[in-house]
Amino acid sequence: MSRPRRRRGFRRLEDGRIALDLPRGARELMAAAAERLRETGSSPGSPGFDVLFGRIDESAAIDDPAYVLERQLGVDEVVSVVSASVGKDVIDVQEAEAWLKVLGMTLSLRAAELGLRTEADREALGIRDEAVMRAVHALQVGLLDAIDGPGDV
C-alpha cells in the first residue's frame, strides 16, 4: 500500500494556528513581497505607491494627513508581521491574515506596475509574470482554506 502524499502548503491545527509546509521558494516569495511593499512606501510617484497610498478623495486639495499616516502605518505593520513570521513553522490567525494582506497588496502593486486593467491585459502577460500571479493566488487560496477550515482532528 502506498503512503498518501502529504499536501504542502497550509494546514489549520486544532488550536486554530496555521501550520506552514511551504517550499523555500514560497517563503522567499513572501519575504520578497513584504520587502517590495516596504520599498514601495518610499517611492512616491511610482505606480505601486499610487496604488497603496494614492489619493482617497480626488476632489479634496489634500487627503487628511492623519488618515494618510494611518494607511502607511497599516502597511508597515503587516509587512513587519510577515517579515517576522516568514521563517516560522506555525503562525497564528492574525499572522495569516497579515500574509493575506501582503499577498493582496502584492497583486495590486504588480498589476499597477504591469499596467493591467482588463482581463485581456492579464491574458497578454508573459510566462514569468503569469507564473508569479498564479503563485500569489495559490498562496492566497491555501491560506484562506486553512483559516476557514476545520482544525486537525
Side-chain angles (χ1 to χ4, degrees):
M1 196 177 216
S2 69
R3 192 171 172 194
R5 184 172 176 231
R6 189 168 162 210
R7 195 173 119 192
R8 296 184 91 176
F10 307 95
R11 182 174 39 91
R12 186 163 185 131
L13 302 173
E14 223 175 272
D15 64 4
R17 295 179 306 152
I18 310 295
L20 305 177
D21 184 20
L22 297 169
R24 183 174 36 163
R27 290 177 187 269
E28 289 171 353
L29 186 144
M30 284 303 303
E35 183 56 31
R36 183 72 175 99
L37 290 170
R38 182 175 283 125
E39 291 169 358
T40 299
S42 61
S43 301
S46 69
F49 186 91
D50 290 345
V51 166
L52 295 179
F53 306 111
R55 300 279 309 278
I56 299 300
D57 182 359
E58 293 294 329
S59 65
I62 62 169
D63 283 332
D64 179 355
Y67 186 71
V68 171
L69 179 61
E70 182 181 330
R71 282 193 326 183
Q72 289 171 332
L73 292 174
V75 171
D76 288 345
E77 181 181 337
V78 295
V79 164
S80 293
V81 168
V82 170
S83 296
S85 63
V86 76
K88 293 181 178 180
D89 292 328
V90 176
I91 59 176
D92 62 33
V93 173
Q94 290 78 21
E95 290 168 318
E97 289 171 352
W99 281 45
L100 281 173
K101 289 175 184 176
V102 164
L103 290 167
M105 286 187 281
T106 295
L107 285 176
S108 296
L109 176 73
R110 194 66 189 132
E113 291 170 343
L114 294 170
L116 300 180
R117 301 236 185 266
T118 66
E119 196 59 37
D121 294 339
R122 172 99 191 250
E123 290 169 4
L125 283 178
I127 293 170
R128 181 181 164 99
D129 288 324
E130 180 59 34
V132 169
M133 299 288 259
R134 284 185 186 193
V136 170
H137 181 72
L139 288 170
Q140 285 179 310
V141 170
L143 265 170
L144 285 170
D145 285 347
I147 290 170
D148 293 338
D152 285 352
V153 180

